[in-house]
Amino acid sequence: MSRPAGRLRLGTRLTLGLGALSLAVFAVVGTALTAYMRDYLEQQLATQLKLVQTVQAKDAAAHGTVQRKPYYGWYTAVYDVADGEVRLRRPADVPEDTRAFAALARTMAHSDTELVRTARIDGEGTYRLRGCEVRPGVVLVSAAPVTDVEETVERLITVQVVVFALALAALVAAGRRMLRRGLEPLSDMARTAHGIASHDLTESAARLPLRADGRDGGREVAELRTAFNTMLEHIDDSLAVRAEAEQRLRRFVADASHELRTPLMSVRGYADLFRYAAANAPGERERHLARLRAEAARMGVLLDDLLLLARLDAADARAPLRTAETDVAELVRQAADAFRAGHPDRPLTVSAGTALRLRLDPDRIRQVLDNLLTNAAVHTPPGTPVSVTVRTGPDEVLIRVADEGPGIPEEHRERVFDRFYRVDRARSRDRGGSGLGLSVARSLVGAHGGTVELTGGPGGTVFTVRLPLRGRDAAPG
């Protein structure tokens, strides 16, 4: 039976449960009320029988038999009891079956208290018999029918069945209506869930416009609605993050393909030139081979950066970090010397202070510094001053690389660390780089537990590298 019940709606099951509970309550109340009423009527009959028999006992003592007529349907008998024999005095108003009267009189002759019994008399029904001793050897037996009590109880039971049935039907109908109204918010949420199930979540910008409305349903339903809407918000956020990640992945794949296609086209073009005699001349051959080596080197650098980013993104156990005790100030000076050698037209100011040793990967931090300095050289006009400053904070080391160039527009600042992103799309790749330098710098600093921030407005750009001082105690890699 549990399977069919499990397929019923919640409102139907609650209504059936309410009906069953009400039926049980009505049964208990009816049984208790019937038992109380029966006991009350029997006590009333016993009291009435006692009062009547008191008067009849005086009548029997005065006249030998009861002269006064009893109530309609009642019987009275006077017995002489001697040596276990009972004899009915006449005249007597008794039924044809007097065995119960004689038995009670015989027992009463040997009892010191009044006796009450319930017996069935053939042809008459059930009677309540009461005996009392008029004088020694004389016993009065009175009998009252209990038919009225039984009929009253039966009528009470009938009334209870009818009233309880009507009350049960009204309760179930009203309860069903109230439950349906109370569970309507759950039905709304179910429809919302079905709407979500039919929503296409494969779209790149998929969102869930559906929400459970704010209709009242009690505290529990309100809590469920809040949890349901919170779950939808979480799903919306997850879908938004997934859509953004998909867009970034598509853009990354497109940019990576474009970046690799350009040197590959150059390699193919120079290779095709060797089919012609003019390209095989010693001077032309060396020039073409140099260009081939340059394009191959460019592809190698690009692939190395992509591989490095992939390892850092995947938290690869073989992430390329080889930490050692390193003087950060000396590392900055080395990067500054390399920058001056490669860009003699760029005035560079260095403020590194005293030696500051941290446990980090010197090659990777040097790569970060080279990328930031190269970015300052590539994206500013010739002769633009550049500065590098090293400072120590309460729990971190700050390395600032600043230039006095035109700065980065506000609308591009949030994306300058994206891979293959260029502020100036018209800039040539030979001069503007592949667009991976800042992405590599941020990932490498993040692998050391630090951050890279971009500040500054029009007329200058400042990149701040923050390295935690706990790197002093880091275990060697």
Side-chain angles (χ1 to χ4, degrees):
M1 295 179 62
S2 60
R3 292 183 179 177
R7 289 193 291 265
L8 296 176
R9 295 181 64 85
L10 178 60
T12 303
R13 284 185 286 171
L14 290 177
T15 303
L16 292 177
L18 177 63
L21 180 61
S22 301
L23 184 60
V25 172
F26 289 160
V28 173
V29 172
T31 302
L33 181 61
T34 301
Y36 172 79
M37 183 57 68
R38 181 186 294 274
D39 184 66
Y40 173 77
L41 292 177
E42 289 179 350
Q43 288 182 2
Q44 289 294 105
L45 180 61
T47 301
Q48 187 178 9
L49 184 60
K50 181 179 180 180
L51 294 175
V52 170
Q53 196 174 49
T54 301
V55 176
Q56 291 176 344
K58 294 179 180 179
D59 192 9
H63 302 93
T65 60
V66 177
Q67 299 294 322
R68 299 183 60 180
K69 297 293 183 180
Y71 295 115
Y72 176 78
W74 287 43
Y75 296 106
T76 302
V78 179
Y79 286 91
D80 292 319
V81 182
D83 299 329
E85 296 293 331
V86 294
R87 183 175 59 85
L88 177 64
R89 290 185 180 184
R90 296 290 182 174
D93 187 8
V94 294
E96 295 181 1
D97 182 13
T98 59
R99 290 175 296 178
F101 291 79
L104 179 60
R106 184 181 294 108
T107 305
M108 187 64 205
H110 303 284
S111 176
D112 296 332
T113 60
E114 298 172 347
L115 298 179
V116 179
R117 288 182 180 178
T118 300
R120 183 168 183 81
I121 300 176
D122 292 343
E124 297 294 335
T126 304
Y127 276 72
R128 177 64 60 88
L129 279 66
R130 189 175 191 277
C132 67
E133 190 175 39
V134 178
R135 61 174 178 267
V138 180
V139 176
L140 171 65
V141 177
S142 301
V146 297
T147 305
D148 293 340
V149 175
E150 293 178 350
E151 290 179 353
T152 303
V153 172
E154 289 176 358
R155 290 178 183 177
L156 177 62
I157 293 175
T158 302
V159 171
Q160 287 178 350
V161 170
V162 174
V163 172
F164 287 166
L166 294 176
L168 180 62
L171 182 62
V172 169
R176 174 61 176 170
R177 184 174 181 179
M178 294 178 61
L179 287 173
R180 181 178 298 175
R181 183 176 180 180
L183 295 177
E184 186 64 25
L186 297 182
S187 299
D188 293 341
M189 282 185 273
R191 287 190 290 270
T192 302
H194 286 301
I196 294 172
S198 62
H199 193 70
D200 186 9
L201 300 181
T202 60
E203 300 176 1
S204 59
R207 298 285 292 178
L208 298 177
L210 301 173
R211 289 293 185 274
D213 60 21
R215 297 174 60 182
D216 188 21
R219 177 180 295 180
E220 294 78 6
V221 175
E223 292 176 355
L224 178 60
R225 184 189 301 114
T226 301
F228 187 79
N229 290 334
T230 302
M231 178 192 68
L232 293 183
E233 291 293 340
H234 178 69
I235 295 176
D236 269 349
D237 295 340
S238 300
L239 290 175
V241 172
R242 189 188 72 173
E244 183 181 357
E246 289 178 352
Q247 292 178 357
R248 292 178 59 187
L249 178 61
R250 292 191 185 100
R251 187 167 58 247
F252 172 76
V253 172
D255 292 341
S257 300
H258 188 69
E259 293 293 338
L260 289 173
R261 183 175 60 183
T262 301
L264 286 175
M265 292 290 292
S266 299
V267 170
R268 181 182 298 176
Y270 285 115
D272 290 340
L273 287 176
F274 285 104
R275 296 180 180 178
Y276 304 99
N280 289 314
E284 290 294 322
R285 180 187 304 170
E286 291 299 325
R287 188 169 65 86
H288 296 331
L289 288 175
R291 293 294 298 175
L292 285 172
R293 286 192 293 270
E295 295 295 338
R298 180 183 172 189
M299 283 192 294
V301 172
L302 180 61
L303 292 175
D304 288 342
D305 288 343
L306 290 175
L307 179 61
L308 175 62
L309 290 172
R311 286 183 177 179
L312 293 174
D313 288 346
D316 195 342
R318 298 172 299 172
L321 291 182
R322 297 179 176 86
T323 60
E325 290 288 340
T326 305
D327 186 353
V328 177
E330 181 62 25
L331 199 63
V332 169
R333 295 189 187 96
Q334 293 175 5
D337 293 339
F339 179 79
R340 292 190 183 99
H343 305 83
D345 59 331
R346 304 277 177 169
L348 176 63
T349 303
V350 178
S351 176
T354 59
L356 177 60
R357 302 189 67 82
L358 293 178
R359 178 166 290 280
L360 46 79
D361 188 333
D363 295 333
R364 295 305 181 184
I365 297 300
R366 171 65 187 276
Q367 183 179 357
V368 171
L369 296 174
D370 291 341
N371 287 348
L372 295 178
L373 289 171
T374 301
N375 183 78
V378 170
H379 296 286
T380 57
T384 301
V386 180
S387 63
V388 182
T389 305
V390 180
R391 290 175 51 191
T392 303
D395 55 357
E396 60 186 1
V397 174
L398 285 74
I399 304 175
R400 288 191 174 92
V401 179
D403 64 67
E404 300 179 9
I408 299 177
E410 184 69 26
E411 64 271 16
H412 296 288
R413 291 184 181 179
E414 294 183 359
R415 297 191 56 192
V416 294
F417 291 101
D418 292 349
R419 298 167 190 182
F420 297 111
Y421 184 77
R422 297 185 181 85
V423 175
D424 185 3
R425 287 289 180 178
R427 187 182 299 276
S428 67
R429 290 176 176 80
D430 291 338
R431 184 170 180 267
S434 63
L436 290 177
L438 293 180
S439 298
V440 171
R442 183 178 63 175
S443 297
L444 287 176
V445 174
H448 285 81
T451 59
V452 180
E453 299 175 357
L454 170 61
T455 57
T461 302
V462 179
F463 287 96
T464 303
V465 177
R466 300 177 182 271
L467 296 174
L469 285 176
R470 63 175 181 271
R472 292 177 173 178
D473 302 325

